[in-house]
């Protein structure tokens, strides 16, 4: 179900893109299938001509597009940091990458059609030269043998198939580049499957750089102009519809001189030179940014394989809930990994929390000396590079009086930034903060993910107590996956003051929240208020919350209104 | 790059090559190109390669994502024992299968792709990798009562004796007869 604003926008873009593909295909099919310019070419090749040229046009279009979604710095620059379409790190990245992949598959499809059509073309062109074809084609192909004639059939040698076809492939630029770039495309695709990407990133990344060869080959693919059509001057003197039947008379009668042919000048470079330049700029920007000095000011190890890196970079400005890409050359010279910022903009450093799950994160863990017990000198910390911040701010949170923040699993990370920032704004009495009450819901499978976030909540809890405002933040943590041993543990300790899992005063709950209850309770406690609902989690939950917002909002202008912020997160 | 299992990529590449061989073969056969029998060969070789490569091998580290419905082919591929387990054999098999298709333009792309896959398999073989089938784990049926172990040997945790007395006294309605001197301080338990 395309429920959210995000999805609708994506759907529109996809439809427009598909529409352009269909349009280009049909348009260029007709360009080669109808006009007289290609009348004789069609006699030689039939509809295989148009079937090769139509996907070629689509390939021009798609190869132009494919570089654009991966220009993250450029896109970020274009979008600026307007609050109109905030998205979360993975959603945002996912959308760009999804589009990139869709375009890639379209390129693969059109490459297949283009190649198959040209295989027929080559076979028939070669056959016509070795008298293995109908007499008309043979006669047409003979044009060009005599001096002063321009050829229609680009195959001039008389070598029979299959050697003839192979000969063409290796002696024509179009043949060589065609084979080479298709091979590059296939290698890129096979190394980009999920298995390879997730498990062996270097293979994926290095192989993907074959795209450089792909684009260079693509640009020169058409230089020899082997697709031939009748020239405009020749069409004036020799009209195919009048002359085609008496081919043996050509040159001998007045209104049918021997037709003259020429090739199409290459067009592809016009489509791709712009994006190629933009992508080059993108890589230069990334390189320049990565050279900017980033200092790790503090490394904190949290329980259960999480580390926190606090960093400083000159001129770094962030907003709540944005993300950065981090590279650590000591661990891997190539890999950039995205992390949501967990610090607030009010702090004088920026931080990320990293879960140690794979090779790169483990390498980072060791490089930062987290596996050692003793204190590490600052100069021993590895050099890192930071690109970003990306993503757009979620300023809307601050403009509501009451908000419900829902984070599922890892989706809680951006809320760390938001909660901290809210607290800073509250303490500094920031003018744009209308927030009086936060209801925070954290849905989690297991307790392991709690730890560092629980620390944060504890800190906030203490600070709120000091400010005598314990009611400001009310949080509910739901353990959605628990087993018998845990259950018995909870049952025994149910009466204790502090929660046994988090150490927080507010207790952990088990199972999933009863949203209906929650919404009704909150609604009754805040009549006549606009309540913002923000979610960072799965689509299914978005659906649920959206429905709850609608059904629990009063219909009139007065009364309580729940506003599900579809654009955010 | 110590952690890479090249066989994983070789497998993807070989599977793609199989499909390309089949496609090229169909073009050559359906179009009745010269020496189209090479196209027919290419289809057969492509099918063989696809069947062999469809079941993904098990990774030595971490879990492996199975391809949809691969368990049937896994059984067949497993039957051939060392012939399919050993990647040297696979490398040379693929190279051998690729050669005849190289004589036709329509299938030469398949040849190139399969040759590359063969090369990656050779690399995998040199590094000592081998194919092992992904076996389904025996389903652990949740036995009813299986988690009920022996009856508890210890009594359930109880509050200290002093606190226990209070509710029973109240329940029995025994008058306490004035403030009771407690031998040790008693915390007010929140029931």
């Amino acid at each position: 179900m395309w429920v959210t604003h995000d999805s609708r926008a994506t759907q529109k873009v996809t439809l427009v893109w598909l529409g352009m593909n269909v349009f280009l295909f049909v348009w260029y099919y007709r360009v080669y299938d109808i006009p007289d310019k290609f009348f004789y070419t069609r006699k030689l090749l039939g509809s295989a001509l148009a079937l090769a040229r139509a996907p070629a046009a689509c390939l021009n279009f798609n190869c132009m597009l494919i570089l654009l979604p991966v220009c993250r710095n450029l896109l970020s620059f274009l979008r600026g940091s307007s609050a109109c379409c905030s998205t979360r790190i993975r959603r945002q990245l996912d959308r760009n990458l999804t589009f990139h992949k869709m375009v890639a598959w379209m390129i693969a499809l059109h490459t297949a059609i283009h190649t198959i059509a040209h295989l027929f073309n080559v076979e028939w062109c070669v056959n016509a030269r070795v008298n293995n074809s109908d007499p008309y084609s043979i006669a047409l192909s003979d044009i060009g043998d005599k001096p002063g004639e321009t050829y229609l059939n680009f195959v001039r040698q008389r070598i029979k198939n299959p050697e003839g076809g192979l000969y063409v492939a290796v002696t024509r630029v179009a043949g060589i580049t065609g084979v080479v770039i298709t091979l590059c495309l296939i290698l890129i695709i096979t190394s980009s499957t999920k298995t390879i990407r997730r498990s062996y990133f270097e293979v994926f990344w290095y192989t993907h750089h074959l795209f450089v060869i792909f684009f260079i080959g693509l640009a020169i693919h058409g230089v020899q102009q082997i697709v031939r059509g009748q020239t405009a001057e020749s069409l004036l003197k020799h009209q195919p519809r009048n002359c085609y039947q008496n081919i043996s008379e050509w040159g001998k009668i007045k209104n049918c001189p021997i037709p003259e042919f020429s090739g199409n000048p290459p067009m592809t470079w016009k489509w791709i030179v712009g994006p190629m330049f933009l992508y080059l700029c993108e890589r230069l920007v990334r390189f320049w940014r990565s050279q900017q000095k980033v200092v790790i000011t503090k490394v904190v190890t949290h329980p259960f394989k999480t580390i926190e890196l606090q960093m400083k970079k000159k001129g770094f400005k962030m907003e709540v809930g944005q993300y950065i890409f981090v590279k650590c050359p000591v661990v891997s010279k190539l890999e950039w990994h995205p992390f949501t910022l967990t610090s607030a903009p009010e702090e004088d450093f920026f931080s990320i929390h990293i879960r140690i799950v794979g090779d790169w994160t483990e390498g980072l863990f060791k490089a930062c000396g987290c596996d050692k017990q003793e204190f590490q000198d600052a100069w021993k910390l590895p050099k890192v590079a930071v690109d970003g911040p990306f993503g757009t701010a979620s300023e809307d949170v601050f403009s509501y009086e009451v908000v419900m923040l829902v984070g599922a699993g890892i989706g809680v990370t951006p809320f760390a930034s938001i909660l901290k920032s809210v607290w800073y704004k509250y303490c500094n009495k920031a003018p744009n903060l209308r927030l009086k009450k936060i209801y925070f819901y954290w849905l989690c499978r297991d307790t392991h993910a709690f730890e560092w976030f629980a620390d944060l909540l504890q800190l906030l809890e203490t600070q709120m107590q000091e400010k005598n405002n314990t009611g400001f933040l009310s949080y509910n943590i739901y353990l959605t996956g628990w087993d018998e041993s845990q259950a018995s543990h909870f049952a025994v300790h149910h009466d204790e003051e502090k929660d046994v899992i988090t150490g927080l005063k507010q207790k952990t709950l088990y199972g999933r929240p009863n949203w209906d209850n929650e919404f009704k309770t909150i609604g009754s406690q805040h009549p006549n208020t606009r309540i913002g609902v923000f979610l960072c989690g799965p689509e299914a939950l978005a659906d649920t919350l959206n429905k709850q917002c609608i059904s629990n909002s009063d219909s009139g202008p007065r009364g309580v209104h729940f506003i599900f912020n579809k654009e955010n997160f | 790059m110590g952690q890479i299992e090249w066989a994983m990529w070789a497998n993807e590449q070989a599977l793609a090559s199989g499909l390309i061989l089949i496609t090229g073969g169909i073009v050559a056969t359906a179009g009745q190109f010269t020496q189209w029998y090479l196209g027919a060969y290419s289809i057969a070789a492509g099918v063989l390669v696809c069947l062999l490569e469809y079941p993904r091998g098990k990774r030595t580290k971490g879990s492996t994502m199975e391809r949809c419905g691969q368990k049937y082919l896994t059984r067949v591929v497993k039957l051939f024992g060392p012939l399919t387990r050993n990647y040297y054999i696979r490398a040379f098999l693929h190279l051998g299968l690729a050669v005849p298709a190289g004589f036709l333009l329509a299938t030469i792309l398949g040849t190139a792709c399969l040759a590359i896959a063969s090369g990656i398999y050779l690399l995998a073989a040199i590094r000592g990798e081998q194919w092992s089938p992904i076996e389904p784990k025996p389903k652990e049926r949740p036995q009813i009562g299986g988690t009920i172990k022996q009856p508890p040997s210890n009594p359930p945790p109880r509050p200290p004796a002093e606190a226990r007395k209070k509710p029973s006294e109240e329940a029995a309605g025994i008058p306490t007869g004035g403030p009771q001197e407690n031998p040790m301080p008693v915390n007010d338990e929140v029931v």
Side-chain angles (χ1 to χ4, degrees), chain A residues 359-408:
Chain A
D359 290 347
W360 189 85
T361 41
E362 271 182 32
L364 188 64
F365 186 81
K366 292 201 186 82
C368 293
C370 301
D371 48 347
K372 301 194 182 64
Q373 296 287 49
E374 67 275 2
F375 184 76
Q376 294 291 300
D377 291 318
W379 57 269
K380 286 206 191 125
L381 289 172
K383 191 168 92 106
V384 291
V386 162
D387 195 11
F390 299 106
T392 47
S394 349
E395 302 279 318
D396 291 358
V397 174
F398 304 123
S399 57
Y400 289 92
E401 260 189 45
V402 179
V403 291
M404 278 176 75
L405 305 176
V406 182

Side-chain angles (χ1 to χ4, degrees), chain A residues 308-565:
Chain A
E308 176 187 346
L309 286 183
Q310 293 183 5
M311 297 171 273
K312 283 200 207 215
K313 181 177 167 189
K314 194 161 154 209
F316 186 83
K317 282 194 193 52
M318 65 166 279
E319 294 172 65
V320 282
Q322 289 193 302
Y323 61 94
I324 52 171
F325 276 84
V326 176
K327 180 166 85 168
C328 187
V330 164
V331 178
S332 165
K333 289 199 183 58
L334 305 172
E335 297 176 39
W336 288 90
H337 290 258
F339 295 96
T340 310
L341 290 161
T342 48
S343 55
E346 287 86 0
E347 297 175 301
D348 61 354
F349 60 88
F350 60 96
S351 72
I352 52 176
H353 282 70
I354 303 172
R355 281 205 74 202
I356 313 299
V357 284
D359 290 347
W360 189 85
T361 41
E362 271 182 32
L364 188 64
F365 186 81
K366 292 201 186 82
C368 293
C370 301
D371 48 347
K372 301 194 182 64
Q373 296 287 49
E374 67 275 2
F375 184 76
Q376 294 291 300
D377 291 318
W379 57 269
K380 286 206 191 125
L381 289 172
K383 191 168 92 106
V384 291
V386 162
D387 195 11
F390 299 106
T392 47
S394 349
E395 302 279 318
D396 291 358
V397 174
F398 304 123
S399 57
Y400 289 92
E401 260 189 45
V402 179
V403 291
M404 278 176 75
L405 305 176
V406 182
I410 192 86
V412 78
T413 322
F415 289 113
S417 171
I418 291 175
L419 287 176
K420 278 198 240 184
S421 185
V422 165
W423 189 246
Y424 276 113
K425 283 185 160 59
Y426 179 77
C427 292
N428 300 336
K429 298 193 182 8
N432 66 334
L433 181 68
R434 293 181 56 199
L435 211 40
K436 301 261 180 304
K437 177 84 187 163
I438 301 178
Y439 291 94
F440 183 63
Y441 293 85
W442 187 12
L443 284 61
C444 213
R445 285 202 90 74
D446 55 54
T447 57
H448 291 181
F450 275 114
E451 309 302 325
W452 68 268
F453 198 77
D455 289 345
L456 169 65
L457 288 177
Q458 245 179 350
L459 186 66
L460 288 175
E461 202 175 38
T462 327
Q463 289 181 338
M464 286 190 303
Q465 263 188 328
E466 284 169 17
K467 287 250 172 183
N468 276 333
N469 192 359
T470 42
F472 185 64
L473 171 65
S474 134
Y475 42 86
N476 307 276
I477 304 170
Y478 287 84
L479 267 195
T480 53
W482 46 276
D483 61 38
E484 262 203 28
S485 61
Q486 287 183 331
S488 44
H489 190 62
F490 305 146
V492 167
H493 290 96
H494 182 73
D495 290 343
E496 296 189 14
E497 190 189 314
K498 285 202 181 203
D499 185 84
V500 65
I501 299 294
T502 58
L504 295 164
K505 288 217 167 33
Q506 297 188 27
K507 296 291 179 58
T508 313
L509 299 143
Y510 310 104
R512 295 208 173 85
N514 184 332
W515 290 115
D516 211 36
N517 270 354
E518 300 295 324
F519 274 79
K520 284 194 167 50
T521 318
I522 295 174
S524 60
Q525 283 175 350
H526 300 275
N528 301 322
T529 332
R530 281 177 81 243
I531 303 176
V533 178
F534 296 80
L535 163 72
C536 184
E539 286 284 339
L541 191 51
D543 283 348
T544 313
L545 290 180
N546 195 25
K547 289 199 188 87
Q548 287 291 340
C549 285
I550 295 171
S551 57
N552 286 296
S553 294
D554 291 333
S555 43
R558 266 182 290 212
V560 72
H561 291 103
F562 287 96
I563 292 119
F564 186 57
N565 282 264

